[in-house]
Amino acid sequence: MKNIRFVNIAIVALSFFFHSCSSTVPTEKEIIGEWISGDGAKLRLKANGTFEGEMLPGEHFFGQTQEYKGKKVYGSGKWLLKKGQDWWEISMSFNKILNQEDEFDTQILISGSSGLLSQTPPWYLFEWKDEEGGERYIFKKH
Amino acid sequence: MDGNNRKRCFGNIYKFTRKEDAFNAGVKLNDIFGTWDFTERGNKDRSIANFIKGDPERTGILLREVNINRRRISAKFVSRLNKQRANQGGGPGPFQVGWEWLTGTGPRHRDFTNGDYFTELLRQHSHIEETRNLIRNGSRKGVNNYKLGGVQEVGLYIKDYSTLLTVGATGNLAVTYLGSYGLTYNVTGISGNLTTVLFTVTNSSTIESATHPPVIGYTPGWSTYIGQPLNNFFSSGPLSRTTQTFNWTETIRLK
């Protein structure tokens, strides 16, 4: 009987744990504004749902392909705050990319700066530099 | 079964050294052999060590004599056998690539393309199908990485790794090895409602990626204090970083 009680308590505790991990949700108001990376790249997310990007590192935003590797990308398009596979993310649809004819759909992830699992604000935006779980390419709000 | 075949009997299991003969025997005698499986290169048993060393789909077909009533197996069985055999591509599979990473042998980078066994496995992953749906819904070029790091990905994590417990019956063996991966897609041509798409998947295998647990293993603290020091420690030789790139094209019917 004691074992059953312990299991129940553990399940409830885990539920609270995971609930608290995912309960803080970024809002559009918190996301709108100018975000700057350590190497000077800029991302301006506007209230009308459009964005502008400057000096965005190609390999982090556009995948590890030769086409964008090492390139700094300038472009604009529409953004949308949404829940991704698990991370909150900003879906970015580039409809103009300097010196490129293509449109491009990509995402940038949102993480908190505090909390056990970095789930609480202040928020920052990031792309994985290489594989998921490794180093992050970070944008902080200006 | 001619004299060139070395037939071994392990209880109700008959083992062939030549795939062709085993396959033919399987088709001809399908009223005897109820189930079948591929065998690995030159290995005489399916111990864990041999299973890890080689890709099991290489050399033969293992037939299990379970149908003691000699009930004729349906045409579906033969069709499945043929289909599996036809789908066998070349090149190393997840087990060989994993073995190379584990032991520090083999190339540090591998490229895969259409028809390769590893590619064909990966193409069956549900996330690739989700990406096809993005294209069907109008996206023409983009990134759609496969991520495992969050709380809700624990289920995906379990599903991907369940292949090891069920010997491939669940999950996707390619993704069991790859874990999360980078994916880009690019529509290279449209003809009517058919579109040609180039998919590129990139992955790196490191000790960090092999050891991080769900959720907490994807936090900056884990990467800084555990993952990266581990990667630095295993910077060469066994368990050091290897990379894989998959490029393949396929035709997708638009809505």
Side-chain angles (χ1 to χ4, degrees):
Chain A
M1 199 64 182
K2 275 185 179 175
N3 284 344
I4 293 171
R5 192 177 298 164
F6 175 76
V7 169
N8 285 339
I9 290 168
I11 289 170
V12 171
L14 279 173
S15 301
F16 273 106
F17 173 75
F18 284 119
H19 179 72
S20 66
C21 292
S22 57
S23 59
T24 314
V25 173
T27 63
E28 285 194 359
K29 195 178 173 184
E30 291 170 312
I31 296 303
I32 290 166
E34 188 171 65
W35 300 78
I36 299 178
S37 75
D39 61 0
K42 288 180 185 172
L43 200 53
R44 276 186 292 277
L45 301 170
K46 300 177 183 177
N48 64 2
T50 64
F51 72 87
E52 291 168 355
E54 293 176 19
M55 290 177 60
L56 304 177
E59 63 270 30
H60 302 324
F61 272 82
F62 302 94
Q64 305 277 344
T65 57
Q66 290 301 322
E67 187 179 359
Y68 289 104
K69 214 166 192 175
K71 289 184 181 171
K72 298 291 185 187
V73 178
Y74 295 74
S76 60
K78 291 181 178 175
W79 68 272
L80 184 69
L81 175 65
K82 67 170 194 176
K83 188 79 165 63
Q85 265 177 287
D86 192 80
W87 302 92
W88 277 90
E89 64 185 33
I90 298 166
S91 171
M92 302 167 67
S93 292
F94 284 84
N95 49 34
K96 280 184 188 170
I97 300 176
L98 190 65
N99 298 326
Q100 294 269 341
E101 289 180 5
D102 298 317
E103 298 181 350
F104 202 100
D105 296 323
T106 187
Q107 313 84 33
I108 187 165
L109 305 175
I110 302 170
S111 176
S113 301
S114 59
L116 180 64
L117 300 176
S118 306
Q119 295 276 8
T120 51
W123 306 111
Y124 64 87
L125 313 181
F126 75 98
E127 297 279 4
W128 298 111
K129 279 188 176 178
D130 187 2
E131 62 187 300
E132 189 191 23
E135 287 186 80
R136 301 176 181 205
Y137 182 86
I138 290 172
F139 284 86
K140 289 183 177 172
K141 201 163 187 183
H142 187 51
Chain B
M1 298 165 218
D2 59 46
N4 293 329
N5 290 327
R6 185 162 55 91
K7 188 177 77 174
R8 296 178 65 88
C9 182
F10 301 94
N12 288 333
I13 296 173
Y14 292 82
K15 194 168 180 179
F16 297 80
T17 52
R18 284 171 45 180
K19 187 166 67 178
E20 292 299 322
D21 296 325
F23 179 77
N24 291 335
V27 173
K28 280 180 189 170
L29 304 174
N30 63 56
D31 55 343
I32 296 174
F33 300 108
T35 64
W36 62 277
D37 201 352
F38 290 109
T39 59
E40 59 273 55
R41 182 190 300 140
N43 291 328
K44 292 178 182 175
D45 60 62
R46 294 179 67 79
S47 67
I48 292 294
N50 283 333
F51 193 61
I52 290 169
K53 273 182 192 171
D55 301 313
E57 291 87 346
R58 286 303 174 80
T59 58
I61 293 174
L62 203 118
L63 302 166
R64 294 186 180 86
E65 189 183 13
V66 296
N67 199 341
I68 56 173
N69 294 325
R70 298 178 72 86
R71 180 171 54 83
R72 181 158 287 280
I73 303 300
S74 67
K76 196 177 169 186
F77 167 79
V78 179
S79 166
R80 183 179 156 224
L81 199 62
N82 275 318
K83 196 175 171 185
Q84 289 264 359
R85 190 164 171 257
N87 284 340
Q88 267 190 278
F95 280 110
Q96 185 178 330
V97 175
W99 183 252
E100 289 171 355
W101 172 75
L102 200 64
T103 58
T105 57
R108 298 285 89 187
H109 176 80
R110 280 193 178 275
D111 288 302
F112 298 91
T113 188
N114 286 72
D116 288 340
Y117 169 59
F118 207 158
T119 309
E120 298 308 314
L121 272 179
L122 179 58
R123 287 177 64 180
Q124 296 166 27
H125 189 221
S126 56
H127 184 73
I128 304 295
E129 184 56 27
E130 286 165 18
T131 308
R132 291 186 189 108
N133 285 333
L134 290 178
I135 296 162
R136 289 183 187 112
N137 289 326
S139 185
R140 293 290 170 261
K141 194 173 185 181
V143 172
N144 188 30
N145 297 334
Y146 181 59
K147 302 186 265 300
L148 285 169
V151 174
Q152 290 178 17
E153 265 64 71
V154 173
L156 292 176
Y157 215 89
I158 293 167
K159 187 181 171 191
D160 289 341
Y161 284 86
S162 68
T163 38
L164 296 177
L165 297 174
T166 61
V167 200
T170 61
N172 182 297
L173 190 59
V175 180
T176 303
Y177 176 72
L178 296 177
S180 55
Y181 55 78
L183 168 65
T184 61
Y185 55 91
N186 185 9
V187 171
T188 56
I190 300 177
S191 174
N193 69 339
L194 294 178
T195 177
T196 307
V197 185
L198 169 67
F199 288 89
T200 302
V201 164
T202 54
N203 181 64
S204 55
S205 310
T206 62
I207 185 68
E208 179 179 14
S209 66
T211 55
H212 53 194
V215 189
I216 200 159
Y218 293 78
T219 56
W222 183 280
S223 177
T224 304
Y225 298 111
I226 298 174
Q228 287 171 34
L230 275 174
N231 280 348
N232 293 337
F233 186 78
F234 292 101
S235 59
S236 62
L239 306 177
S240 63
R241 176 189 171 93
T242 62
T243 53
Q244 302 86 40
T245 302
F246 301 77
N247 282 298
W248 77 89
T249 55
E250 56 183 79
T251 303
I252 296 173
R253 188 177 294 277
L254 299 173
K255 283 181 178 174

